Amino acid sequence: MFWNVYARSYDNLAKHFRPYQDLVQEVCDHVDEYADGRSLRILDAGCGTGNYSLELARRGHTVVGVDNSESMLERARKKSSGVENVAFIEHNLTQPLPFGDGEFDAAVSTMVLYALPDPGSALEELRRTTREGGELTLVTSAATSTVWVSLKGIMRTGDFTSSLKTIVALVPVGILNLLIDLSHAKGTYAVSTTEQLRTHLAATRWCVLDEMSAYVEDTALLVIAEAV
Ligand SMILES: C[S@@+](CC[C@H](N)C(=O)[O-])C[C@H]1O[C@@H](n2cnc3c(N)ncnc32)[C@H](O)[C@@H]1O
């Protein structure tokens, strides 16, 4: 329900929020670095409105995006009309993935893991469906206060008029992110620290190759891991 409501304004991030646009490029650049010129089969777990899936498809990869929000998927499908190397499937990541072992060369999952009640089992499924030696690029929120720092970031990077326009366009997104921040602060989410994430990855045969801060004011953690 929450994500179906969020779907109505989610793409305002892609249209108006520079850190979101930069993160899409950063994640896809990491995937391309791993691909080294090959065209990969990639799973985008919790694909939302398909921004990462579509960028990866644009770069020549074949992508399957899964998400359990009908409204997010509806938008993703609309945006991908005519694009042949991307497909969107409704799937709840609390359930086993509807794919065979090692079917994918790589997986991406951005800003999803924290929202899952059992991130370990989702990572286990991502591992099962990624071939050995395949790569996972994962981004998850690492801060309990993203809205306030985003506001400060917007004010700092633009002139007054452009900052105001961006803030107005992002009001609905900001309100929904406040709810996410509150849940983080209350400890509702199963993954909200780097240590928790590392523990889940190690337990599910993902070997962390690199780890870096990302997104607006370093409020997220970007991890590259290899399927071992
Ligand atoms: C913050 S959005 C991120 C979307 C996309 N990865 C991006 O970064 O643009 C979180 C997404 O996770 C999806 N999600 C949350 N819980 C899920 C679950 N149990 N199964 C599948 N998708 C889920 C939501 O529907 C939503 O599209």
Side-chain angles (χ1 to χ4, degrees):
M1 172 69 177
F2 175 83
W3 295 110
N4 281 334
V5 171
Y6 202 162
R8 288 186 210 165
S9 52
Y10 195 75
D11 274 341
N12 285 352
L13 280 173
K15 281 190 207 131
H16 301 285
F17 197 43
R18 186 63 192 268
Y20 181 90
Q21 298 161 351
D22 289 345
L23 188 61
V24 174
Q25 295 305 319
E26 190 179 346
V27 165
C28 297
D29 286 349
H30 282 296
V31 175
D32 269 346
E33 207 172 298
Y34 168 68
D36 196 21
R38 292 168 298 163
S39 169
L40 304 180
R41 184 165 161 77
I42 301 171
L43 176 66
D44 181 0
C47 60
T49 58
N51 297 317
Y52 289 81
S53 300
L54 283 163
E55 177 59 20
L56 289 165
R58 198 185 63 74
R59 293 175 182 221
H61 304 291
T62 299
V63 189
V64 180
V66 299
D67 202 286
N68 72 340
S69 160
E70 272 174 41
S71 309
M72 290 277 188
L73 289 173
E74 199 182 307
R75 277 157 214 266
R77 289 189 183 118
K78 207 177 263 177
K79 290 193 293 186
S80 67
S81 133
V83 184
E84 286 187 356
N85 51 336
V86 68
F88 294 104
I89 295 175
E90 190 171 337
H91 173 76
N92 191 329
L93 288 166
T94 59
Q95 303 298 315
L97 285 163
F99 308 109
D101 296 356
E103 223 180 272
F104 295 95
D105 302 304
V108 299
S109 186
T110 56
M111 299 298 196
V112 179
L113 206 70
Y114 65 82
L116 302 177
D118 183 2
S121 70
L123 285 171
E124 183 73 54
E125 275 297 285
L126 285 183
R127 173 62 193 86
R128 181 185 65 76
T129 52
T130 304
R131 66 168 174 75
E132 205 170 311
E135 201 165 274
L136 168 68
T137 309
L138 185 76
V139 179
T140 194
S141 181
T144 51
S145 166
T146 59
V147 175
W148 177 236
V149 291
S150 301
L151 266 178
K152 280 200 292 189
I154 292 169
M155 293 307 289
R156 219 188 21 242
T157 47
D159 58 55
F160 181 75
T161 314
S162 71
S163 298
L164 198 63
K165 273 189 195 159
T166 306
I167 289 168
V168 169
L170 293 177
V171 165
V173 167
I175 292 170
L176 293 164
N177 270 303
L178 262 180
L179 297 178
I180 293 175
D181 282 355
L182 283 174
S183 288
H184 262 302
K186 276 198 291 186
T188 314
Y189 293 130
V191 170
S192 42
T193 68
T194 308
E195 287 67 33
Q196 287 166 335
L197 181 60
R198 283 196 202 113
T199 306
H200 284 302
L201 287 166
T204 51
R205 292 171 301 128
W206 286 109
C207 171
V208 174
L209 302 177
D210 208 353
E211 197 180 275
M212 63 209 85
S213 298
Y215 204 39
V216 57
E217 308 284 319
D218 292 343
T219 49
L221 182 71
L222 193 161
V223 173
I224 315 271
E226 183 185 356
V228 289

